[in-house]
Amino acid sequence: MSVALPSEATSRDAADRTARLPSGAAQAYLFLAPWLIGFIGLTVGPTLISLYLSFTNFDLIQSPEWTGWANYVRILTNDSKFVASMQVTFFFVVFSVPLKLAFALAVALILNKGLRGLSIYRALFYLPSLLGASVAIAVLWRQLFAADGLVNQLLFSLFRIQGPSWISSPDYALWTLVVLSIWQFGSPMIIFLAGLRQIPQDLYEAASIDGASRRRQFWRITVPMLTPVIFFNAIVQTIDAFKAFTPAFIISDGIGGPVDATLFYTLYLYQEAFANFRMGYASALAWILVLIIAAFTAFSFLTARYWVHYDD
Amino acid sequence: MPSRAQAETQLRMFWWGTQERARRTFGVNDLFMERNSGVSITGETLSWGDYWPRLATQTAGRNIADIVQMDYRYIVEYAGRGALMPLDDYLGESLQITDFDAGAIDSCRVDGKLYGVNLGQNSTCSVFTRSLLEQAGVSLPGHETTWDTLGEWSLEVVDAVGRPNFWGVQDGGGVEPAFNVWVRQRGRELYNQDGTIGFTEEDITDWFAYWADLREKGAVPRADVQALDRDAPESSMLALNYAAMIFTNSNQLVAHQALNRNKLGMTMVPSGGEGAKPGQYMKPSQMWSIAAGTQAPDVAVSVVNFFVTDPDAANILGVERGVSPLPRVREAIAPNLDELDRAMLEYIDFIKDKVGPLPPVPPRAAGEIDRLLIRVNQQVGFGQLSPSEAGKQFLAESTGILERS
């Protein structure tokens, strides 16, 4: 970042004015105030309150009652739904993130070949990312994968297979959500595309002259040069996947069914808070999620230096 | 008419329901404001699922509306915590509901005090696609249908309609109101007066086994089809066209008909047969309650009174919230009702002497146990549990939930 240094004259002016105007720092805070007030009032404040509530019993109507570590102890030792929802969330993260990134990279590689009408394709492929988290798409998904849905009609007319009701069968319901997530590959794809453009072409030219195959070029040039972008995408997508809520909420109407097969951690947290009115317990669940995401992110950054290559 | 800004008294009203209910409710509010200058009522509405979190949040934030719609399941929770105003002092004065049908006032009491005004009488029922069954030449279910004959009837429908993925009756194993009727027919209750579980392991095991048997015979939807039902009219087996009959609350007939091309009919939930006790009971479909902290209790009471006693208001409301417990209101609206509304009126009239007493008010965690029933029945349906394992598990989990609440 470049900052123009004030000339001698203007700094003297400024010194004269300090008597009347707030100092530089105060001015900065003044201009920051709208954001700062929102940040403290809507983010920091509630976060601290939720930390306090996580040590209480609070049903929203009566005042909170201090219970110490009881919520955390119950979550970690005696809550089968906590375990079940963790499994669902980890399954989702482990399958949706790598598949989505692989898919995004594949499409970015194709688009990077310099197709005609690139900007149109780029917009088209990005569209699901804009729509994907919306209620309408989750509703559409429900229609597609229901017993008499489009997917089963296709299966039947093409292969004479009578498919199950994918969305409401415990064996497949979570997979339909993984597919929905992969379909929203647009934003990592755009970032991959930008990353691919940054790789100097002379590396490929040199490699071609040395007789390296396309595949070898991909693994020896593209992937290593792209690792900072892969790293960034992986972190962002993983955090997003841990926080996934809307699709599961809409598709299972907040129940997490069938048989808790789509009971994401966030959905369980929501149920405890807003269906069962255990706000204290839900706050404790939320803090455990924060710790898990923080731990995961720290782990990623620690291991990053072994596989992420920066130019400098 | 004075402008809203000049109005002396401002009231907020909050209810759950469909667009149709909102239209009728706003209509009554407008009428009240027309006749009472100096009062302005604003309304907010949400779906059932979104309503309760919002109401709890508003109560916690001391920002609860003056008049709120209340359900039998939640009234103990709110009244017990001092969020609602007792109405006994107004009874017979500005609240002229003393001629309500017997029981229609007592069902809104908590610990002897009146906390709600009954907006309509309600009971559980079976709703079926009348025109489809008539076309298929299957006899319509009636109040003489028993749990024993239900399965054969459903198979008859499967044969007669002959469409893949279509069954006679929904899988009712996860429908708490139907299970409630079943245990009462056996002389027990869902919950005892003290809020503990009121039925036995045998009751719940038999219930799961009954539906497992029908599922095996192909009389009810496969588990993966039934699981599409998210406990809302829009996703019921009837609306999605997977079954000819479902169990629901009688006032929801209007909502179900709006979602269905076939003409619907209604009848009682199957009976327990010879010697069984009456399983159904009459309850308030919903009530108006007044917040304890309202600034204008007298005006709020007069608004509530207007809703349940004024003939013009009643004509706007119809039977969308259930059938009025006030005989003169019923008479006033009867000539203006359409066929469907009249069917509901007649149903409530018909079952009057066939229902049992009102059960004890459900405990706080009843909503969680309601969802547990859906899940455990699914576990049986997907073959994860046998009915007897399911019975044990349901009892263990629900007892755990009750102890925790």
Side-chain angles (χ1 to χ4, degrees):
Chain A
M1 205 163 78
S2 70
V3 176
L5 291 170
S7 73
E8 233 174 283
T10 51
S11 62
R12 211 181 305 122
D13 266 2
D16 288 345
R17 256 187 263 133
T18 44
R20 284 165 282 136
L21 279 177
S23 71
Q27 279 184 30
Y29 281 116
L30 195 66
F31 281 105
L32 268 175
W35 178 82
L36 214 56
I37 290 169
F39 179 67
I40 291 171
L42 300 175
T43 306
V44 177
T47 307
L48 292 177
I49 291 172
S50 96
L51 183 62
Y52 160 71
L53 288 178
S54 73
F55 294 99
T56 65
N57 244 341
F58 180 42
D59 63 3
L60 280 170
I61 300 175
Q62 284 168 326
S63 358
E65 165 201 353
W66 185 265
T67 56
W69 291 95
N71 288 334
Y72 290 94
V73 170
R74 186 180 191 280
I75 292 171
L76 297 175
T77 59
N78 184 26
D79 185 352
S80 59
K81 282 216 164 189
F82 167 76
V83 179
S85 64
M86 268 292 161
Q87 283 169 348
V88 169
T89 296
F90 270 93
F91 181 97
F92 183 74
V93 169
V94 165
F95 285 96
S96 77
V97 175
L99 287 173
K100 183 182 194 171
L101 290 186
F103 199 63
L105 181 57
V107 176
L109 284 170
I110 295 169
L111 290 185
N112 195 36
K113 292 229 163 113
L115 288 174
R116 261 197 299 168
L118 173 66
S119 55
I120 295 171
Y121 286 113
R122 210 165 44 194
L124 275 180
F125 286 134
Y126 191 69
L127 209 54
S129 288
L130 294 177
L131 302 173
S134 75
V135 172
I137 290 299
V139 171
L140 172 77
W141 224 245
R142 213 154 78 172
Q143 302 296 335
L144 277 180
F145 290 97
D148 286 344
L150 189 64
V151 171
N152 277 348
Q153 286 175 18
L154 279 176
L155 279 179
F156 190 75
S157 58
L158 294 178
F159 308 106
R160 301 277 136 194
I161 296 172
Q162 188 67 59
S165 181
W166 306 94
I167 209 83
S168 55
S169 161
D171 298 336
Y172 309 107
L174 190 49
W175 279 108
T176 64
L177 292 180
V178 170
V179 172
L180 176 61
S181 158
I182 295 170
W183 183 59
Q184 299 158 42
F185 62 91
S187 84
M189 178 205 71
I190 297 279
I191 297 168
F192 276 137
L193 204 51
L196 289 171
R197 295 287 165 88
Q198 297 286 318
I199 303 175
Q201 281 307 306
D202 47 355
L203 291 180
Y204 292 105
E205 281 159 23
S208 302
I209 292 166
D210 289 345
S213 67
R214 284 268 174 174
R215 169 186 292 236
R216 208 174 162 79
Q217 287 179 26
F218 175 75
W219 288 110
R220 291 300 165 110
I221 300 172
T222 312
V223 171
M225 293 300 285
L226 215 51
T227 45
V229 178
I230 296 175
F231 179 61
F232 172 81
N233 270 337
I235 297 249
V236 170
Q237 293 303 323
T238 306
I239 292 176
D240 265 6
F242 269 118
K243 298 193 304 183
F245 176 76
T246 316
F249 180 77
I250 302 297
I251 285 172
S252 75
D253 268 339
I255 299 173
V259 201
D260 292 348
T262 61
L263 186 70
F264 281 71
Y265 191 80
T266 50
L267 206 54
Y268 176 46
L269 193 163
Y270 173 86
Q271 274 186 4
E272 282 292 294
F274 294 106
N276 304 333
F277 300 138
R278 283 193 276 264
M279 208 38 99
Y281 197 74
S283 298
L285 285 170
W287 275 94
I288 287 179
L289 181 63
V290 168
L291 291 181
I292 289 172
I293 294 180
F296 168 82
T297 312
F299 176 78
S300 305
F301 272 98
L302 284 177
T303 56
R305 59 190 174 126
Y306 299 109
W307 63 276
V308 178
H309 306 278
Y310 291 102
D311 269 346
D312 46 39
Chain B
M1 210 180 109
S3 77
R4 295 280 163 86
Q6 291 169 333
E8 295 150 29
T9 313
Q10 293 194 340
L11 290 178
R12 282 164 57 219
M13 186 182 265
F14 190 30
W15 67 93
W16 73 83
T18 57
Q19 192 61 39
E20 182 57 30
R21 177 171 301 166
R23 195 181 64 75
R24 298 182 191 212
T25 310
F26 282 121
V28 173
N29 284 346
D30 287 343
L31 190 64
F32 185 87
M33 289 188 278
E34 217 177 279
R35 295 195 192 163
N36 299 272
S37 59
V39 178
S40 116
I41 311 168
T42 53
E44 303 154 46
T45 177
L46 287 174
S47 69
W48 164 269
D50 297 332
Y51 179 81
W52 295 104
R54 182 72 65 86
L55 186 66
T57 323
Q58 289 184 345
T59 309
R62 309 276 178 271
N63 186 31
I64 184 174
D66 302 271
I67 303 172
V68 294
Q69 197 168 292
M70 203 25 76
D71 181 71
Y72 190 58
R73 170 165 288 166
Y74 286 93
I75 190 163
V76 171
E77 204 151 335
Y78 281 86
R81 289 163 184 176
L84 305 179
M85 183 175 89
L87 301 169
D88 303 79
D89 292 348
Y90 297 92
L91 200 58
E93 304 286 326
S94 53
L95 193 57
Q96 291 162 346
I97 58 169
T98 35
D99 331 334
F100 267 13
D101 292 342
I105 294 183
D106 286 342
S107 60
C108 304
R109 287 186 191 277
V110 177
D111 295 333
K113 281 191 189 156
L114 185 67
Y115 285 102
V117 175
N118 199 323
L119 277 166
Q121 290 287 68
N122 209 9
S123 190
T124 37
C125 69
S126 307
V127 169
F128 52 87
T129 59
R130 203 179 72 208
S131 51
L132 183 94
L133 292 172
E134 281 167 355
Q135 271 167 33
V138 186
S139 63
L140 299 181
H143 65 279
E144 69 289 342
T145 304
T146 65
W147 294 108
D148 289 337
T149 60
L150 181 68
E152 293 155 38
W153 176 83
S154 185
L155 283 171
E156 239 178 86
V157 176
V158 173
D159 283 346
V161 175
R163 176 149 41 96
N165 286 347
F166 191 83
W167 291 269
V169 66
Q170 78 165 118
D171 176 349
V175 183
E176 193 220 47
F179 177 60
N180 191 6
V181 171
W182 160 285
V183 292
R184 284 168 58 91
Q185 287 166 350
R186 295 173 153 222
R188 278 181 275 272
E189 294 285 357
L190 274 189
Y191 302 103
N192 298 318
Q193 201 74 47
D194 61 1
T196 53
I197 296 286
F199 53 88
T200 64
E201 190 181 314
E202 196 191 343
D203 295 326
I204 182 76
T205 302
D206 285 355
W207 174 252
F208 288 136
Y210 173 81
W211 291 104
D213 177 50
L214 291 198
R215 221 176 285 122
E216 215 163 282
K217 288 177 176 155
V220 298
R222 293 195 314 267
D224 61 319
V225 173
Q226 179 60 48
L228 289 167
D229 185 343
R230 316 295 194 191
D231 208 12
E234 295 80 7
S235 60
S236 70
M237 289 292 102
L238 205 57
L240 298 180
N241 217 352
Y242 290 116
M245 182 169 120
I246 59 161
F247 309 109
T248 185
N249 285 320
S250 59
N251 73 304
Q252 287 195 305
L253 179 69
V254 178
H256 282 291
Q257 182 64 76
L259 293 162
N260 229 290
R261 260 170 297 167
N262 291 313
K263 272 220 156 54
L264 302 184
M266 75 195 306
T267 187
M268 294 182 77
V269 174
S271 77
E274 204 74 23
K277 298 206 164 58
Q280 287 184 218
Y281 55 92
M282 210 76 95
K283 72 176 183 90
S285 66
Q286 52 224 226
M287 0 177 173
W288 280 138
S289 287
I290 297 178
T294 180
Q295 298 296 311
D298 297 343
V299 184
V301 169
S302 63
V303 172
V304 169
N305 187 61
F306 184 72
F307 262 82
V308 292
T309 60
D310 188 274
D312 296 327
N315 268 317
I316 298 175
L317 293 169
V319 291
E320 192 273 330
R321 276 188 170 91
V323 173
S324 168
L326 203 56
R328 62 188 153 90
V329 165
R330 284 201 298 270
E331 279 158 32
I333 62 170
N336 308 322
L337 294 179
D338 64 18
E339 193 189 352
L340 190 75
D341 291 348
R342 252 202 312 277
M344 198 194 305
L345 206 73
E346 282 159 12
Y347 175 71
I348 293 294
D349 201 48
F350 174 75
I351 65 170
K352 227 171 235 167
D353 53 354
K354 298 175 184 62
V355 294
L358 191 76
V361 183
R364 284 174 59 185
E368 210 177 337
I369 295 174
D370 178 16
R371 290 189 293 278
L372 177 68
L373 186 69
I374 297 174
R375 199 200 76 209
V376 176
N377 185 59
Q378 283 178 349
Q379 284 181 288
V380 181
F382 288 114
Q384 297 177 358
L385 294 176
S386 73
S388 61
E389 288 165 343
K392 276 196 186 60
Q393 182 169 332
F394 184 82
L395 262 193
E397 282 197 50
S398 54
T399 312
I401 290 171
L402 286 174
E403 276 167 7
R404 213 184 144 202
S405 72

